[in-house]
Amino acid sequence: MTATLLATKRVEKPWGRTRLWPGFADPAPGGEKIGEVWFQTPHAGEPELLIKYLFTSEKLSVQVHPDDAQARAAGYPRGKDEAWLILAAEPTSTIAIGTLAPMTHEELRAAALDGSIEHKLDWKPVKAGDFIYNKAGTIHAIGAGITCVEIQQNVDLTYRLYDYGSDRELHLDAGVAVSDAEPFVPLPTPAKDSGDRQILAEGPKFVVERFAGGHRVVDLPAGVTGWFVPVAGMGAVDGVPWKAGECLTLTGRSEIAADAGSDLLLAYPGDKRL
């Protein structure tokens, strides 16, 4: 059994915020705008998954990620499926995911160049508790006023298609080539668990579980790492204390003790729940 508390990396972003979320210290008055908090292992590029919190005050760019085969062809270890659990959202907050109608690659490129792509995406309203699994190839953009946990395949590989007229670099050739420019079809809702845990995602690239406080035993197969994300509450895993705003990796058999009222996530690679 091994429970390891991960290092925290705060990432400044122009679309970030100065008011974050319980468990995270706000920046000093007049300080940087924090858009992301990453949890990293000592060898940051090796694990299969990466956990982040996102704090948005503006729309993020319109972007897309390649799948495993496309990423490896470009020299990366894996592609990028990702998922978002919405913790808080303003009444008008939205996430764009998929296009309103199918588009050819030529139509997609033209829309990215003239800016009309923003209005050809499906901007869906979001609220606390929503969960979205975003497969590689899906065109997407996270909107303003959102706090979420992001679970993703661990690769820093994003192709930016459009950024609202900013001077940031776009990646049109690569992005258009890997895009599935079509309406979003959510994955089937996982079957309910017989216990008190909720299965938010069951593949294709990772499983995400959500459960409350109390005592729980997690028994991970040999060679599989789990990411334990306490959204709220405090407790200990095998004697290692934790609190909201932290993240731990687990291997082998682990015993989780959590205060009542805790809100906990567990993510691990694969397409089948434990």
Side-chain angles (χ1 to χ4, degrees), residues 35 62 100 110 116 119-120 138 165 177 187 220 225 252 269:
V62 176
L100 291 169
S116 63
H119 309 292
K120 295 181 178 181
T138 304
L187 294 176
L220 292 159
T225 297

Side-chain angles (χ1 to χ4, degrees), residues 20-268:
L20 303 182
W21 180 253
F24 298 95
D26 292 337
E32 71 275 19
K33 297 169 71 174
I34 299 299
E36 300 178 354
V37 173
W38 299 20
F39 299 100
Q40 296 184 312
T41 63
H43 304 286
E46 292 180 0
E48 291 188 54
L49 301 183
L50 174 66
I51 307 296
K52 300 178 183 177
Y53 280 73
L54 304 182
F55 312 99
T56 73
S57 62
E58 302 173 6
K59 289 179 180 177
L60 277 63
S61 61
V62 176
Q63 52 190 240
V64 67
H65 309 296
D67 64 21
D68 287 348
Q70 293 161 340
R72 287 170 182 149
Y76 292 83
R78 61 186 66 86
K80 188 174 176 182
D81 279 21
E82 59 191 359
W84 308 298
L85 174 64
I86 308 300
L87 302 181
E90 296 176 359
T92 57
S93 292
T94 56
I95 286 180
I97 186 158
T99 55
L100 291 169
M103 302 173 68
T104 66
H105 281 181
E106 292 74 18
E107 291 169 337
L108 176 61
R109 184 183 182 89
L113 286 169
D114 68 18
S116 63
I117 188 173
E118 181 181 359
H119 309 292
K120 295 181 178 181
L121 302 178
D122 188 3
W123 291 90
K124 298 179 181 294
V126 292
K127 62 184 185 305
D130 287 348
F131 181 83
I132 301 170
Y133 189 107
N134 179 39
K135 289 181 65 176
T138 304
I139 301 168
H140 61 279
I142 297 177
I146 291 173
T147 301
C148 68
V149 178
E150 179 176 284
I151 303 99
Q152 62 161 88
Q153 289 182 278
N154 183 22
V155 63
D156 190 8
L157 181 53
T158 295
Y159 297 140
R160 194 178 299 115
L161 298 173
Y162 177 70
D163 199 27
Y164 317 102
S166 82
D167 58 1
R168 290 205 297 170
E169 180 186 6
L170 301 180
H171 314 94
L172 285 182
D173 290 341
V176 168
V178 304
S179 292
D180 298 323
E182 55 191 29
F184 174 71
V185 178
L187 294 176
T189 301
K192 291 186 177 179
D193 191 76
S194 58
D196 61 354
R197 65 177 177 171
Q198 180 183 9
I199 306 299
L200 299 178
E202 194 167 17
K205 295 301 179 181
F206 48 80
V207 177
V208 183
E209 304 181 5
R210 189 178 191 180
F211 48 95
H215 180 268
R216 180 175 297 272
V217 173
V218 174
D219 198 355
L220 292 159
V224 174
T225 297
W227 278 256
F228 175 63
V229 188
V231 175
M234 60 179 56
V237 181
D238 294 336
V240 179
W242 54 261
K243 61 183 183 298
E246 296 179 332
C247 181
L248 298 87
T249 53
L250 309 179
T251 57
R253 186 180 187 277
S254 301
E255 294 193 23
I256 300 171
D259 289 352
S262 295
D263 183 7
L264 310 171
L265 299 178
L266 178 68
Y268 46 90

